[in-house]
């Protein structure tokens, strides 16, 4: 069974965070939600209160089949500034693990730390200057280039999450989940 890490922080986008976790769990993946803060409790960008499964420090030595970052502000900045998360992303990138980020996190986290160099990527409009070294694809909700998957924003959260699922469990599983969600 594929293991997915979803790091979360205060100020992450509510819809993206919940959609990622829910769709991947519906698809049968083992999803570990990890707070980058010193508390498992976070408050999302629009006030939803969420509780992580663990603190990121609890799973820092584990390898996952994917790391998936929700966006939202200032959540993306908290993710960007978490040295432990960046170290984990770098270790997973070396192993060609699926790394996915949506909305502001595409630019604020992946762009800032060099994960998008010579890649195509998308992000929330207005953040495209943060896609350092990448070719910005404006008209697609989801862009995959190598092991890097980026999504545009809240409205793309479902297709983004289904794309992560499809990459890990195959098209049929992703389509079955999509059918159940009336997508």
């Amino acid at each position: 069974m594929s293991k997915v890490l979803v790091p979360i922080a205060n100020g992450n986008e509510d819809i993206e965070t919940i959609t990622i976790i829910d769709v991947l769990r519906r698809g049968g993946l083992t999803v570990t939600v990890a707070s980058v803060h010193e508390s498992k409790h976070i408050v999302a960008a629009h006030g939803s209160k969420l509780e992580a499964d663990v603190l990121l420090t609890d799973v820092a030595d584990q390898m996952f089949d994917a790391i998936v970052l929700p966006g939202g502000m200032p959540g993306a900045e908290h993710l960007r500034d978490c040295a432990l998360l960046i170290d984990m992303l770098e270790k997973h990138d070396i192993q060609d693990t699926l790394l996915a980020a949506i909305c502001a996190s595409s630019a604020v986290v992946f762009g800032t730390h060099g994960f998008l160099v010579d890649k195509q990527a998308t992000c929330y409009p207005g953040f495209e200057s943060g896609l350092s070294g990448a070719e910005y694809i404006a008209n697609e909700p989801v862009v995959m280039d190598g092991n890097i998957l980026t999504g545009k924003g809240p409205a793309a959260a479902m297709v983004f999450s289904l794309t992560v699922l499809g990459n890990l469990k195959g098209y049929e599983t992703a389509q079955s989940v999509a059918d159940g969600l009336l997508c």
Side-chain angles (χ1 to χ4, degrees), residues 24-25 32 53 57-58 112 161:
L24 299 182
R25 286 183 174 161
T32 301
D53 301 316
T57 53
D58 297 331
T112 297
S161 300

Side-chain angles (χ1 to χ4, degrees), residues 8-10 13-14 39 59 62-63 75 77 88 99 110-111 125 138 146 162-163 168-169 174 180:
I8 62 172
N10 288 318
E13 169 56 46
D14 309 48
S39 170
V59 295
Q62 293 184 34
M63 289 299 289
E77 293 172 326
M88 291 179 75
L99 302 180
F110 283 3
L162 288 166
T163 303
L168 295 173
K169 292 273 290 215

Side-chain angles (χ1 to χ4, degrees), residues 16-183:
E16 294 165 359
T17 305
I18 295 298
T19 303
I20 291 164
I21 295 165
D22 182 62
V23 167
L24 299 182
R25 286 183 174 161
R26 285 175 192 251
L29 300 176
T30 300
V31 177
T32 301
V33 180
S35 170
V36 301
H37 301 297
E38 293 180 6
S39 170
K40 291 187 202 178
H41 299 280
I42 70 123
V43 179
H46 299 281
S48 298
K49 293 178 175 82
L50 304 173
E51 183 177 352
D53 301 316
V54 297
L55 300 179
L56 189 64
T57 53
D58 297 331
V59 295
D61 295 332
Q62 293 184 34
M63 289 299 289
F64 294 86
D65 299 298
I67 299 176
V68 185
L69 308 181
M73 293 296 280
E77 293 172 326
H78 292 303
L79 297 177
R80 174 198 67 201
D81 297 340
C82 178
L84 180 58
L85 175 60
I86 303 311
D87 182 58
M88 291 179 75
L89 287 166
E90 289 171 350
K91 287 177 182 171
H92 282 75
D93 191 36
I94 289 168
Q95 299 297 319
D96 220 24
T97 299
L98 177 63
L99 302 180
I102 189 168
C103 195
S105 285
S106 300
V108 174
V109 182
F110 283 3
T112 297
H113 292 286
F115 293 99
L116 301 177
V117 175
D118 297 326
K119 304 264 187 200
Q120 292 184 326
T122 193
C123 64
Y124 194 85
F127 284 84
E128 55 272 16
S129 65
L131 298 175
S132 303
E135 177 187 352
Y136 174 54
I137 306 298
N139 298 320
E140 294 295 330
V142 176
V143 175
M144 182 129 192
D145 193 337
N147 67 314
I148 304 291
L149 176 67
T150 53
K152 197 166 196 130
M158 187 65 71
V159 68
F160 173 80
S161 300
L162 288 166
T163 303
V164 170
L165 180 60
N167 272 274
L168 295 173
K169 292 273 290 215
Y171 173 81
E172 288 181 11
T173 299
Q175 187 60 55
S176 176
V177 171
D179 289 346
L181 294 168
L182 305 178
C183 293

